[in-house]
Amino acid sequence: MSRIRMHPSGREVECQEGDTVLSALEKAGYALPNNCRAGACGECKVKVLSGQFDQGMVLDMALSQAERKDGYGLMCMAKPISEELIIEWGTADARPKLFPPRENVLYVVTDRIPRTPRIVELLLRPLGTPLRYWPGQYVQLGDERAGAPPRCYSIANAPRPDGEIALHITRVDGGSTSSWVHDTLKAGDVVSLNGPYGTFIGDPSVETPVLCMAAGSGLAPILALADAALRRGYRLPVTLLFSAREKADLYEQGMMAYWQQKHRNFEYKATLTRETHGGLCGRIPAVLPSLFTDLSQHSVFIAGSPEFVEDCVKAAKALGAKDELIHTEGYFAQQQPEYPSADRLTAVA
């Protein structure tokens, strides 16, 4: 195993034997620009300041002989062969680069799973090249021919090798698209997605404890973010607070139990606002001070209705949370015409 150090930030990433520099960085959450992943486009070109690496087969048009002599390499093909490899890549450059959105990308509905009385989960598999996205982003789903205009829904899972996407869709009274999903769409149907969109992704290079707060189907992007962090071996504490009205509105309990058993740094707490259940009761802003005394060193992610997000932000700031470490995603209802493309839906808890 080798170690990749980024200069001038000094951050380090482990590189398993056989992995390229690009794949090692991606596993650790860094977003090095790339395209072909085959040594042909040159987008992943960086300067190597120290250490040795096997460049592999690359095209001269992507990496000239002069560039090679100056120490540059293509990280999609480069494999470290020294204990340490130092590359010139600053903290700003290591932040996520958003993938260009695509339109009318075809997916097949492989399953639909009722999660609560009002939330259904769609599992979608790509027919061609899958969408590339960052955990926390969202896509547009709809069918104009069926009277279901495209609406925006957060992706509920981190990127997978098979390209599968999970969406959690709340039935909204009078919502034509959510009604189409709940009443008409079935397994085997082909749908088209647009995206990805959104910047609810934070900076994966930031190393702090993480607090996630969600209500209703606002849990979807939070699940994607937590899934990605835990899968890449994030070691600092990750706490997920979920607010629902009643016991029937709690979902993904099995996954939460699995994560708590598998990852000692992960903790899940649910609170109900209209029932008692032997756990926390009340809205998250009200119970937060009993759980934390200081959030000044935490990265905070909040997803839910605008009112929920606003109240959670105020509660977090009262405990010292810093503006630059607070990330929010507010969901608006379909029937609000002033927000035609921002209706990732949630129950107000």
Side-chain angles (χ1 to χ4, degrees), residues 144-156:
E144 294 282 8
R145 297 168 300 178
R151 300 297 185 186
C152 301
Y153 300 101
S154 293
I155 302 172

Side-chain angles (χ1 to χ4, degrees), residues 96-321:
K97 305 295 189 296
L98 299 183
F99 300 111
R102 296 162 55 197
E103 294 185 352
N104 300 318
V105 183
L106 298 181
Y107 279 73
V108 173
V109 180
T110 57
D111 203 356
R112 45 177 297 128
I113 307 168
R115 290 300 188 186
T116 76
R118 298 183 67 85
I119 297 176
V120 65
E121 179 177 40
L122 295 183
L123 298 182
L124 310 174
R125 289 285 184 96
L127 285 176
T129 303
L131 291 173
R132 299 179 65 197
Y133 65 93
W134 287 101
Q137 290 193 290
Y138 62 91
V139 295
Q140 287 184 333
L141 168 69
D143 187 344
E144 294 282 8
R145 297 168 300 178
R151 300 297 185 186
C152 301
Y153 300 101
S154 293
I155 302 172
N157 61 292
R160 293 168 39 123
D162 59 12
E164 181 177 84
I165 282 178
L167 303 179
H168 296 170
I169 300 179
T170 302
R171 181 189 289 276
V172 176
D173 296 335
S176 55
T177 302
S178 70
S179 296
W180 166 70
V181 169
H182 279 256
D183 300 333
T184 305
L185 202 60
K186 61 185 183 301
D189 286 348
V190 176
V191 298
S192 66
L193 301 181
N194 301 329
Y197 306 108
T199 57
F200 185 58
I201 54 180
D203 182 353
S205 67
V206 172
E207 296 178 1
T208 68
V210 174
L211 170 62
C212 299
M213 296 180 275
S217 56
L219 184 60
I222 295 297
L223 286 177
L225 289 163
D227 182 18
L230 295 174
R231 194 187 298 174
R232 70 180 175 90
Y234 199 78
R235 299 301 181 190
L236 295 173
V238 177
T239 304
L240 197 165
L241 302 182
F242 180 50
S243 176
R245 294 175 176 176
E246 303 170 347
K247 292 179 184 178
D249 298 320
L250 294 175
Y251 70 107
E252 294 288 4
Q253 301 298 290
M255 182 60 73
M256 298 300 99
Y258 170 73
W259 282 353
Q260 288 197 123
Q261 291 294 323
K262 185 175 177 62
H263 306 283
R264 293 186 177 181
N265 62 319
F266 177 77
E267 184 176 20
Y268 168 76
K269 292 182 179 294
T271 181
L272 298 182
T273 60
R274 299 186 183 180
E275 265 186 8
T276 59
H277 66 132
L280 296 173
C281 293
R283 300 180 71 245
I284 286 179
V287 303
L288 193 62
S290 68
L291 303 174
F292 295 91
T293 58
D294 182 7
L295 292 176
S296 61
Q297 302 303 314
H298 279 69
S299 291
V300 179
F301 295 85
I302 309 169
S305 70
E307 296 79 13
F308 172 81
V309 169
E310 181 179 358
D311 290 346
C312 285
V313 168
K314 290 180 181 178
K317 285 186 175 181
L319 295 172

